Amino acid sequence: MPIVNILVTREGTMPGADRTTAEQKAAIYKGIADLLFDVMGKPREDTTVVFHEHDIEDIGQGGFPLSDYRKQRG
């Protein structure tokens, strides 16, 4: 049984959204199941996708808090 972990920051990608929408998550779940079926022949019903959203305050990159790192990168 494939288990796929998706880790993203908790930020909206559409106007008015502050996190990933239920519709976006549903599309990701379907897309991953379809991809594993198409590439590896894994049955869609056996694929589990775990979606993790994290506040940017809980993530560091390049030795800095993510928000600071992004400011430096401009």
Side-chain angles (χ1 to χ4, degrees):
M1 169 176 77
I3 301 173
V4 178
N5 286 295
I6 305 290
L7 289 86
V8 299
T9 55
R10 184 173 289 136
E11 302 172 85
T13 56
M14 299 170 34
D18 60 354
R19 62 184 306 143
T20 308
T21 66
E23 294 81 14
Q24 289 171 322
K25 288 179 184 179
I28 289 168
Y29 300 148
K30 182 181 182 320
I32 294 295
D34 288 346
L35 178 67
L36 290 176
F37 177 78
D38 293 343
V39 174
M40 300 175 68
K42 298 292 185 179
R44 290 174 180 90
E45 61 272 12
D46 290 345
T47 297
T48 299
V49 178
V50 182
F51 198 92
H52 305 270
E53 280 189 290
H54 299 276
D55 291 322
I56 63 169
E57 294 84 18
D58 297 331
I59 300 172
Q61 186 170 353
F64 299 95
L66 183 57
S67 58
D68 294 345
Y69 179 81
R70 287 178 174 176
K71 288 175 190 172
Q72 290 179 7
R73 302 262 323 200

